[in-house]
Amino acid sequence: MKVRQISIFLENKSGRLAAVTRLLGENDINIRALSIADTTDFGILRLIVNEPEKAYDILKREGFTVSVTDVIAVAVHDRPGGLAEVLAILEDAGMNIEYLYAFTGKSAGDALVIFRVEDPDEAIGVLTRNGVRVLANGEVRGI
Amino acid sequence: MRALQLTRLQALVERVYRMSPFYRKLWDEAGVKPEQVKTLDDIRRFPFTTKDMLRQNYPYGMFAVPLSKIVRLHASSGTMGQSTVVGYTRRDLRIWADMVARVAVQAGVTRRDIAQISFGYGLFTGGFGLHYGLERVGATVLPVSSGNTQRQIQLMQDFGTTVLVGTPSYALHMAEVAEEMGVDTSKLKLRLGLFGAEPWTEEMRSEIEKRWHIKATDNYGLSEIMGPGVAGECEYGGKMHISEDHFFPEVIDPKTGESLPPGEEGELVFTTLTKEGIPLVRYRTRDISSLDYSPCPCGRTTVRMKKVTGRSDDMLIIRGVNVFPSQIEAVLMSIDGVGPQYQIIVDRKGFMDDIEVVVELSKEGFTGSWRDLEALENKVRERLENALSLRPRVKLVEYMSLERSMGKAKRVIDKRRKTTDN
């Protein structure tokens, strides 16, 4: 099942990241996972939150440059080689990964990794057929 | 027309020589006399009048009537330095209103229109100029002035505004605010825009027309010559009819001062044929345009000027390359995903000029993908490089992060200059 990720375009100037997190906090939105990629001029902050639709509306209303993307949350065995196994499955299926980042929480002893791939539905199919657990939206929000 | 112009020109130079100590001295020094004007071309013997002369004679030194005859004062916005003062006699004001009315009617305004004036009212000629001209047409005038944008849009809805008047950059900002307020601009009664007071590109026109669902027309004027109402587009658009029965135009090479033949691009020069308060002979506008004497399909016989593409004094020279901000604007407006707000920052690093173009991502411009963002940035850089023949730095910034202007937009920051006055 696909998970909704919020992406926010941020200029590299002080206080922008703080402004986003403060805004979400004030509106009772909990951040489940995050990643930041940046250059000298700007960055993209990616968030998995408990209420993505609400977060999107609030950020947009407050003038942030924001978009929503579908990603998948994958349970990876929390032991050496765990991530490599999952990547091998995707590679064998010829699927490109645009980016990935790790979750802060765990689910039933597994580490959680967020994957952004071109075709999330196909990736979910490939992974589940190979016995890899892909988390449902509700599960991710509840972690 | 030429006979009328010559009669008026001869009367003007005679009166100016008699009434204006400034011009008497200027012409005596240049060795020219009013009697030498036998044909219109003879005006070319006379020296130019420049903005600097107006500044040096601040405030009343250029007036050609006693102050008791002046019924209104305006001052230029001073975009490039100290402001200049202009005075109008009662007759000047009447002609001004007539000329603005002419421009408005050419653009398609009728007495059934409700015209919202979002130009600043005050010393700036935009607000009052359009105000009296539109009243002369018989339109219902809504003197909102600039600023308080949300209220402007509210009034537009409540009063059923059909014509919007202001600077093109403010019109774009108003469209953004309308969008944020959730106003469907296609549902408004607005049908026509009269924009001026700053140079703007065809690409910006398309953007305004798309966002407001209106026809956007250009008009031209400058406070030294009179204010708005010097020239304006007719229903065919594209080029602006000059009211040459009152404003005699020439185009010169800005470097040499030589007159250029019709059709060639250069600096516009105007002589105010009928003005009393502060008549100007061969005033250098610094605006770059060209003149077209061919017949217009609309049937009006006055000469037309091309949309002003830039100013001879806002031309940037970067690493020896001439760059007009309008070229950059045209590129940015043609790319989906960025704009319409931008800024050009020029600096000198060591001995090298450095140009940075800062442009906002549009709301739709951000997909969340890094690859898309890089591709967009590269596209902007490459298109600019093709248009300018030099490679600028490009910086994408957040939507709504650049300052919005209520009047003339400040697009260029040249850090190489010590002062803003040149």
Side-chain angles (χ1 to χ4, degrees), chain B residues 309-376:
Chain B
T309 48
R311 290 175 55 82
S312 63
D313 53 4
D314 75 5
M315 185 180 77
L316 297 161
I317 302 175
I318 295 158
R319 292 177 224 155
V321 180
N322 295 347
V323 174
F324 284 101
S326 57
Q327 291 174 290
I328 293 173
E329 180 181 300
V331 168
L332 296 178
M333 295 284 172
S334 71
I335 299 175
D336 286 337
V338 295
Q341 302 292 339
Y342 66 94
Q343 218 164 41
I344 301 160
I345 299 166
V346 185
D347 205 352
R348 183 163 288 150
K349 303 243 163 91
F351 293 102
M352 278 289 274
D353 295 330
D354 186 62
I355 177 166
E356 180 175 61
V357 175
V358 181
V359 63
E360 285 184 6
L361 274 178
S362 69
K363 272 186 182 166
E364 304 76 31
F366 181 59
T367 60
S369 155
W370 195 257
R371 224 178 294 164
D372 291 347
L373 217 50
E374 273 180 342
L376 183 62

Side-chain angles (χ1 to χ4, degrees), chain B residues 97 100-101 104 109 111 115 117 121 128-143:
Chain B
V100 173
V109 179
R111 63 193 168 82
I117 300 180
Y121 278 69
F128 281 102
L130 265 301
H131 181 103
Y132 289 107
L134 287 163
E135 280 191 359
R136 178 65 49 92
V137 174
T140 309
V141 173
L142 206 53

Side-chain angles (χ1 to χ4, degrees), chain A residues 11 16 44 46 65 67 98, chain B residues 367-368 370-371 398-399 401:
Chain A
E11 278 169 56
R16 293 306 284 164
I44 300 179
R46 306 184 195 284
T65 308
S67 76
E98 206 175 309
Chain B
T367 60
W370 195 257
R371 224 178 294 164
E398 288 173 44
Y399 176 68
S401 64

Side-chain angles (χ1 to χ4, degrees), chain B residues 9 38 46 79 98 118 131 141 149 170 181 186 207 222 226 236 242 270 287 294 297 325 336 355 365 373:
Chain B
L9 179 63
K38 302 272 190 262
F46 285 70
T79 316
D98 284 346
S118 304
H131 181 103
V141 173
T149 311
Y170 188 46
M181 289 166 68
S186 69
E207 190 70 27
L222 62 168
M226 185 181 68
Y236 289 89
I242 298 174
F270 279 106
D287 290 323
S294 68
D336 286 337
I355 177 166
L373 217 50

